[in-house]
Amino acid sequence: MNRFITTVVAGLMLAGPGHAGVTEDDLKNDQSITTQIVTNGMGRHLQRYSPLDTLNKDNVKNLVPAWAFSLGGEKQRGQETQPLIYDGVMYITGSYSRVYAIDVQSGKELWQYDARLPEGILPCCDVINRGGAIYGDTFYFGTLDARIVALDLKTGDVKWRKKIADYKAGYSYTAAPLIVNGLVITGNSGGEFGIVGEVQARDAETGEMVWTRPVIEGHMGTLNGKESTMTGELNATWPGDMWKTGGGATWLGGSYDVETDTLVFGAGNPAPWNSHLRNAGTPVDGNAGDNLYAASRIGIDPTTGDIKWHYQTTPREGWDYDGVNEVVAYTDRSGNKRYATADRNGFFYVLNREDGEFVSATPFVKDITWAEGIDENGRPIYNEGNRPGNPAAAADGKKGEVTFSSPSFLGGKNWMPMAFSQNTGNFYVPSNEWGMDIWNEPITYKKGAAYLGAGFTIKPNYDDHIGSLKAIDPDTGDLKWEFKNDAPLWAGVMTTAGGLVFTGTPEGRFIAFDDETGEELWSFQTGSGIVGQPVTWEQDGEQYISIISGWGGAVPLWGGEVAKKVNYLNQGGLLWTFKLPKALAMAN
Ligand code: CA
């Protein structure tokens, strides 16, 4: 208890006049300091769990709007940001690489930054941004032309601006950057263009590169401007030169586990999608066609950029099951320190925190077709008949055998972050029940062109719902409750000590559920679809909640029959802030 009080007092002192801005301690203690939110994930463990319990199951019905903020303009595409809150100001990012600083009491804009984007940017999956980072008196965020920008927290003036990679080759940037020990750490986007996934660490003060770590085997990392170590072993799991354009985009960013001093990043699908081109001659012995470290979670040393461990969820991946989904650190009911991650491929994995070793995997969506399960070593038990066929084996050599595979390439779960509740010990997973017809085609790499070698059509698996918010016991994989939604879920989830689970729907409803029963306790219609990430904090003794509304993201662009089903939904760009007024906090 004493330690907790000390932490809070230290936090308050730092937030006082003349403070030096957000410190490493602020980042480390973000989950317990309830008056601010300075990390993506509401704490470095990415639990998205708030210890606030002012708002609870009894009084959530009294939650009312405090203010709303329009992102303005005609740039109303998918809004996926997670707000940050510091020193009375809320910071959000918007579509088309915009940033807004907003007075948290009044909802009044303090400053706005619009990145000037060049012609010819190549974002694969809408012009979204998922949020920024704060360190010292600087706000950091990435842009669709693959740059990282450092802005003055008070004015929005540019301090520095650096190129992550070449947007003309298909690179872009959409994730929230990560701050660790004075470094600003970023991944990259562009996995559908034959790019190479990488993690980069820069000096947060100057923007100078400290280290780089490509995540596809055969590529060299750098440290302080010199070559450091090779990623993996050249051609151990990739044939010929395919590794040079091997994909593995690190597009969802990463997290930092202070207890093991490890960065955890995910790598997307190997490129191209046509898996037969990446493991010619398969079946092969051992792991020769696995295409490391695509479709993997990777533990990285934050000082050197060296890889400490990896766990590949989908070896020789062939369905666009990116391995990027967030890895949440938690302690299980027996006191074991674990990671949990719900993969695009439909399985919910538990890994050991120390070394990333596989512990268990259970399906979190129905009707998985591509694998019978995951064996005791963590390797999929493939259903070989469900691998899309090799076009080279077709009579005309142009189209391989079509399979119906589930989940669809947009995944049992996509980018939208799940939450863990310290109340219940359960995870709350935003998932989707859908499949796809998928087939392979010949393809050759061309800079800046889509590098898929595949065609596809997404289809709902059920008539009455696609979206499914699931409460999952991580110790058993058991489903505790489920909320079904007509449209696919695409928003983040948040839990609170008040026993509440919050998320939003593409139909525009922002909903609070009972964390034990799944009963819907409150909802609010936000006017456009919700694909953003909720947060909660306290201000002058009152509990606030914010969520951005603004339909978009990958579903309307890539969703096949599903996109047609939801094409009536309106776009938007409105940040809603709610509060439980003091007078109503005690009322039932
Ligand atoms: Ca992908």
Side-chain angles (χ1 to χ4, degrees), residues 192 269 320 322 344:
E192 273 50 68
N269 61 288
D320 191 31
D322 292 38
R344 282 266 275 269

Side-chain angles (χ1 to χ4, degrees), residues 269-282:
N269 61 288
W273 285 20
N274 179 349
S275 65
H276 299 277
L277 295 171
R278 290 181 271 102
N279 29 59
T282 52

Side-chain angles (χ1 to χ4, degrees), residues 8-31:
V8 171
V9 170
L12 290 173
M13 283 168 67
L14 286 167
H19 63 81
V22 172
T23 64
E24 180 67 22
D25 270 353
D26 283 333
L27 299 170
K28 188 175 166 185
N29 299 311
D30 197 36
Q31 188 171 60

